[in-house]
Amino acid sequence: MKAVTWTGINEVSVEDVPEPTILNDHDVILKVRLSTTCGSDLHLLGGYIPFMRAGDVLGHEFMGEVVEVGKGVRQRRVGDRVVVNSFIACGNCWYCRQELFSLCDNGNPNPGITEGLWGQSPGGCFGYSHAVGGFAGSHAEYIRVPYADVGSFLIPEEVSDTRALFASDAVSTGWMGAELAGTGPGDVVAVWGAGGVGQMAARAATLLGAEKVVVIDRLPERLAQVRQHVGAETIDYSATDVLVELREQTGGRGPDICIEAVGMEAHTPGAHGVYDQVKQQLRLQTDRPAAVREAILACRKGGSVFVLGVFAAAVDKFPLGAIMNKGLTLRGAQVHGQRFTPRILEHMARGELVTEHLATHVLPLDEAPRGYQMFKDKADGCVRAVFTPNG
Amino acid sequence: MDLSTIMSRAAGLAGGAGGEALKRLQHVRLPGVGQSSVTDDPRTAARRWRAVTVLTEPARLQESLPAPLAAFGDRLEVRVTPAPGDRGAELAARFRGPVTEDEIGHLRAALREAKALVEVGEVLRVDPQPHGHRKPTPQGRTVEGMAQRAPEEGVL
């Protein structure tokens, strides 16, 4: 079958690879209908997460049709149209029972790498390096889905493939940030990053009752999507001082909830951006945390900051004093998608949560290298390149 | 010797080095980076209890030790205690006599497999699975070596 593979730093290829097989009783094999690029893939492409092997199949956000079922699977049947969460979780360990699915104890067969980095290991993830299991990704005609009863969800008839696709990761990640940060009625929520995850965090905040939601980015086409499809306000950080703007818009308080949806390759204008770039390229820090710093400084006293962007290890100039002295709550997580997907699909079915506009470039698998290049360069207004492995 | 042979040999060495690197990194303490309990001196490390918390009734483990641990026979001392709150049972094991680091690695993997068998009924496999051409580069073999060693490393 055809698959999109990582073949080196900033190298993506389309190769013929063997088809997946059932390896565990709780697996299903899925015929992939749609699989999308995600901003976090760019950290793999750029070599910032150095645990990829040439030939690894990329992709972790996808939907499709069940074509084979393991003998231990109870909830899925051949022919089911499902969306699958990006993190692989057993559903039976203590973390899964607490609905902290991305922290699953049994989902990552390579725990030694991440325990060495972070002291504990998160669960596994499709197509996201050997640090989180080395599972083959979804930019392929077929994919093996472990623990399928836990991580796959039937798509309601009234929800299109494209809308459901983003329940896999972008919407569930955004929803998690808004909900676990404690968003409620009357809150002012600021979101850094107007990519798929940032837009969906903003939409989730609105659905959770936020009074006012503001999204911060520099790309006009993404900010326009926020206003048109998400119904939130926007700030162009390349044209104004974000901290001053947010204070002005919140009666001097700062936002109640600040959600970072940018990750380890944040762009920043001016000297701060140069400083972070140089330190990262010299490997003196692994991540560029500009948006996290700004979120912490912007947040009102006693407010809540949620880190949704992917970070690898250590950062510099982290405003710990602001967190302590302003009494902030700081939280982060990889996505606990299984917790939020059922209600996300309900919102999608009612038309309250739309995502089709994110799929700006729908391409056959053969054009994946071009799709990734456009996505990386943010060329031609690309928000997400979505692949159709089976036409 | 042609270039491809040189690259192939370098890659082979890197594979071993990747596993060895991961093993050695367990002893390194960098600010802000996790580490394994193997940072103890070898004698203390060999005698330390290594434990997983299993979401099950302690009695289940006391009645029948999971197969991956039972395979060690009398060489292991095993302790099962209730975990606080609703967390299940703490399953700990250590060797009765002197051990090598490799044997401690086998114990780590066995504890993780025992936990998975009790909680899920199976140990999650990842190979074989689809992949494209594996270029025989030192970086690739290093990652491969680390991944092969990873089930036996970590904080246990």
Side-chain angles (χ1 to χ4, degrees):
Chain A
M1 69 172 181
K2 279 184 191 172
V4 179
T5 57
W6 184 91
T7 47
I9 292 178
N10 292 321
E11 284 181 24
V12 173
S13 301
V14 180
E15 296 185 73
D16 283 318
V17 307
E19 290 187 4
T21 55
I22 299 270
L23 297 180
N24 285 99
D25 289 350
H26 297 100
D27 294 353
V28 302
I29 303 295
L30 201 73
K31 183 177 183 180
V32 181
R33 285 195 187 179
L34 296 175
S35 181
T36 178
T37 56
C38 171
S40 61
D41 290 340
L42 300 179
H43 313 325
L44 301 176
L45 263 58
Y48 295 105
I49 297 176
F51 298 107
M52 294 292 282
R53 282 205 67 195
D56 284 345
V57 181
L58 290 163
H60 59 263
E61 186 164 6
F62 59 102
M63 56 75 61
E65 179 186 336
V66 176
V67 293
E68 193 179 347
V69 176
K71 64 183 180 186
V73 174
R74 297 288 174 266
Q75 309 293 324
R76 295 290 157 264
R77 290 184 172 81
V78 170
D80 282 352
R81 187 174 69 115
V82 297
V83 58
V84 178
N85 291 133
S86 53
F87 262 74
I88 297 166
C90 75
N92 288 328
C93 69
W94 185 82
Y95 289 99
C96 286
R97 294 293 171 87
Q98 306 306 306
E99 299 189 308
L100 302 170
F101 291 96
S102 73
L103 305 179
C104 175
D105 272 341
N106 298 308
N108 182 358
N110 296 336
I113 297 174
T114 43
E115 285 184 11
L117 276 172
W118 305 320
Q120 303 288 344
S121 170
C125 182
F126 294 101
Y128 210 77
S129 92
H130 294 266
V132 281
F135 294 95
S138 58
H139 297 340
E141 292 176 56
Y142 297 91
I143 185 170
R144 167 198 171 220
V145 177
Y147 305 135
D149 282 337
V150 182
S152 67
F153 295 86
L154 286 175
I155 300 170
E157 268 184 35
E158 53 270 50
V159 177
S160 71
D161 284 2
T162 308
R163 184 173 295 185
L165 165 67
F166 295 101
S168 171
D169 190 306
V171 187
S172 45
T173 301
W175 193 288
M176 175 182 73
E179 181 166 318
L180 298 190
T183 304
D187 281 338
V188 176
V189 177
V191 180
W192 276 256
V197 171
Q199 289 194 30
M200 292 303 113
R203 184 62 192 150
T206 301
L207 291 170
L208 288 165
E211 179 81 14
K212 173 187 177 80
V213 181
V214 185
V215 179
I216 300 143
D217 205 304
R218 70 189 157 94
L219 299 170
E221 64 274 16
R222 295 188 180 198
L223 294 173
Q225 283 194 341
V226 169
R227 292 188 293 270
Q228 184 180 349
H229 300 286
V230 177
E233 300 171 33
T234 59
I235 293 175
D236 176 354
Y237 72 74
S238 67
T240 188
D241 184 321
V242 173
L243 294 176
V244 173
E245 190 80 29
L246 285 172
R247 276 199 296 272
E248 194 176 342
Q249 291 192 25
T250 57
R253 301 183 308 278
D256 304 286
I257 308 281
C258 293
I259 300 172
E260 184 273 350
V262 176
M264 63 165 73
E265 296 178 68
H267 295 93
T268 325
H272 289 187
V274 175
Y275 174 86
D276 277 333
Q277 282 274 9
V278 169
K279 287 209 73 169
Q280 190 178 40
Q281 294 309 318
L282 293 175
R283 301 296 185 259
L284 295 172
Q285 66 176 355
T286 56
D287 310 70
R288 302 199 303 261
V292 180
R293 287 189 197 118
E294 196 165 77
I296 290 168
L297 295 173
C299 197
R300 74 152 165 85
K301 292 184 286 185
S304 180
V305 177
F306 204 100
V307 180
L308 287 178
V310 171
F311 289 86
V315 300
D316 190 16
K317 302 289 181 287
F318 185 74
L320 187 58
I323 294 173
M324 185 271 160
N325 287 291
K326 293 205 296 179
L328 300 183
T329 299
L330 176 66
R331 193 168 179 181
Q334 293 281 8
V335 60
H336 307 310
Q338 292 84 343
R339 175 171 177 172
F340 304 106
T341 300
R343 84 182 89 153
I344 285 168
L345 289 171
E346 287 173 15
H347 282 294
M348 285 180 162
R350 290 198 293 268
E352 297 163 349
L353 229 168
V354 295
T355 62
E356 285 87 344
H357 63 284
L358 299 175
T360 50
H361 295 74
V362 180
L363 303 166
L365 212 56
D366 284 329
E367 292 193 46
R370 184 171 75 88
Y372 264 109
Q373 195 62 50
M374 278 195 305
F375 180 56
K376 181 180 180 182
D377 297 341
K378 300 171 175 64
D380 193 33
C382 186
V383 176
R384 288 291 182 97
V386 173
F387 307 128
T388 55
N390 286 283
Chain B
M1 194 182 296
D2 63 21
L3 184 61
S4 63
T5 308
I6 294 170
M7 286 299 288
S8 177
R9 288 195 179 174
L13 289 172
E20 188 61 27
L22 186 61
K23 196 167 148 184
R24 289 187 180 280
L25 282 171
Q26 307 300 324
H27 298 270
V28 177
R29 282 180 187 247
L30 297 172
V33 178
Q35 78 290 312
S36 160
S37 54
V38 203
T39 45
D40 290 327
D41 64 85
R43 188 178 176 83
T44 308
R47 292 294 298 151
R48 192 179 284 284
W49 290 98
R50 304 188 183 276
V52 288
T53 301
V54 187
L55 192 57
T56 189
E57 290 298 318
R60 180 174 170 189
L61 299 173
Q62 285 156 346
E63 285 162 14
S64 173
L65 204 56
L69 290 175
F72 286 89
D74 292 341
R75 297 193 61 213
L76 277 190
E77 200 177 341
V78 176
R79 186 175 70 188
V80 178
T81 50
D86 59 356
R87 290 169 177 77
E90 294 174 0
L91 173 62
R94 65 180 178 183
F95 287 93
R96 293 183 192 280
V99 287
T100 64
E101 273 198 37
D102 281 345
E103 287 173 311
I104 293 173
H106 299 332
L107 176 56
R108 286 194 193 101
L111 280 163
R112 290 173 176 138
E113 287 177 8
K115 172 181 164 70
L117 284 171
V118 172
E119 290 182 338
V120 193
E122 61 180 355
V123 177
L124 186 58
R125 292 175 57 193
V126 72
D127 289 316
Q129 66 167 338
H131 64 76
H133 176 58
R134 296 293 199 201
K135 282 189 285 192
T137 63
Q139 185 271 344
R141 292 301 302 273
T142 300
V143 172
E144 183 180 22
M146 293 180 99
Q148 283 173 352
R149 181 74 194 176
E152 300 194 345
E153 292 296 346
V155 298
L156 293 186

